[in-house]
Amino acid sequence: MQQTANYQLNQWDGEDRIMRVDFNSDNAKIDAALEKNATALSQATSTLEAALEAERQARASGDTAANQATASAREELLNAIASEQSARTSGDAAVRGEFAAADASIRKDFAAADAAISSACPIVKLQSIVTSQAATQVDLDMRDSSYRNMAFLILIPQVITSAERVYLRVNSLGEDGYYVDKIDRPYLAFFPSCSPSNEVASYTYCRLELYATVIACSCSYVGYSSNLSSTSDTLHSIVKPHIATSQAIQTLNFIAEDGSSISAGSRFTLYGVKL
């Protein structure tokens, strides 16, 4: 009797006896595989929820620090103004010196508050470009080594083109360079364009993870047409490890379908989420 390659499930030939024990064995294997997948999904969900909660707390902490710094700065400014008025009345040069010191202190407090907010916020804008002229391909420079120290990257493309689709590639790699939902594809992801001529609006969110040997991508999009119909999907993909690794990534490439041009005014924004 033959068995399947992955889970060794039974496959009966014409001359094989059909036994209940074989069915029971297959059911046990299927049940174990489903349980393993469910556990992995639960762990991934818990990790994401913890990350989101940490981000919320960090933002709340940053807002509190900014409010406190603003209140303190306002109070110091009011005191400084009062001192300046007294100095103008009395002509006391020493008071003018105190005002200068207060001004320097305020600037220092604002700088400290800004630094505290930047440090507390886990999301950093790494780069943002807006095209100034039409092109058949737009590239994002990915050679900055600090990108590989992030937990993951968030890419928000807003591509204006007459084509319906836009493709995302790495290092301009085309045919057979990627697995998209376990299928060979000539692109890492695709998403709908923003096309004013066709009255189409879309929103795309790509999560890039630069592991030591693998470049992984989860790309979600939703598109709306003029008649209010919508389309959405999420693609899970990787660059084939023997083609390119995170250490070898040079560029992210955007190409419109059918060789169409990407119009001026298209925007590409890349964020990093700190570890």
Side-chain angles (χ1 to χ4, degrees), residues 15-267:
E15 65 275 11
D16 292 331
R17 293 184 60 191
I18 298 176
M19 305 291 289
R20 181 178 61 186
V21 66
D22 294 330
F23 283 105
N24 290 342
S25 175
D26 285 352
N27 288 337
K29 292 175 181 177
I30 293 170
D31 183 76
L34 290 174
E35 172 63 21
K36 182 178 179 181
N37 289 342
T39 299
L41 178 59
S42 176
Q43 292 174 346
T45 301
S46 297
T47 300
L48 178 58
E49 289 175 347
L52 292 174
E53 177 60 21
E55 177 183 350
R56 186 194 65 76
Q57 293 179 0
R59 286 182 179 274
S61 175
D63 290 343
T64 299
N67 290 337
Q68 291 175 346
T70 300
S72 175
R74 180 179 181 276
E75 182 65 24
E76 289 189 20
L77 181 58
L78 292 174
N79 292 336
I81 292 173
S83 297
E84 173 66 10
Q85 290 173 340
S86 175
R88 285 181 180 275
T89 302
S90 64
D92 189 350
V95 175
R96 292 181 181 274
E98 291 178 2
F99 177 79
D103 180 71
S105 177
I106 292 169
R107 294 178 183 276
K108 182 179 179 180
D109 287 342
F110 270 113
D114 184 69
I117 293 172
S118 298
S119 177
C121 182
I123 299 178
V124 180
K125 180 186 283 188
L126 302 177
Q127 58 175 304
S128 179
I129 64 172
V130 179
T131 56
S132 59
Q133 59 186 14
T136 56
Q137 178 172 317
V138 177
D139 299 327
L140 231 59
D141 191 341
M142 297 293 291
R143 290 175 294 179
D144 191 329
S145 61
S146 66
Y147 295 177
R148 295 155 186 77
N149 298 327
M150 298 291 176
F152 57 90
L153 306 178
I154 299 173
L155 173 66
I156 308 294
Q158 297 168 292
V159 185
I160 303 172
T161 176
S162 60
E164 292 185 1
R165 282 185 176 183
V166 180
Y167 296 105
L168 172 63
R169 292 176 176 168
V170 173
N171 295 350
S172 295
L173 298 173
E175 295 294 331
D176 299 327
Y178 316 88
Y179 288 126
V180 180
D181 292 332
K182 300 181 180 180
I183 300 175
D184 281 336
R185 296 294 188 192
Y187 50 78
L188 183 62
F190 72 85
F191 49 88
S193 65
C194 303
S195 177
S197 61
N198 295 331
E199 298 183 328
V200 173
S202 70
Y203 177 82
T204 300
Y205 167 99
C206 295
R207 170 175 170 150
L208 295 167
E209 298 177 85
L210 305 182
Y211 298 114
T213 58
V214 175
I215 303 170
C217 175
S218 296
C219 183
S220 300
Y221 66 83
V222 59
Y224 300 92
S225 63
S226 58
N227 62 4
L228 301 183
S229 63
S230 65
T231 179
S232 62
D233 200 1
T234 297
L235 306 175
H236 303 283
S237 56
I238 63 169
V239 180
K240 293 182 179 179
H242 69 280
I243 298 295
T245 66
S246 62
Q247 300 303 317
I249 187 171
Q250 299 290 312
T251 57
L252 293 178
N253 321 110
F254 301 87
I255 305 98
E257 189 177 39
D258 299 328
S260 299
S261 293
I262 295 175
S263 302
S266 296
R267 183 183 298 272

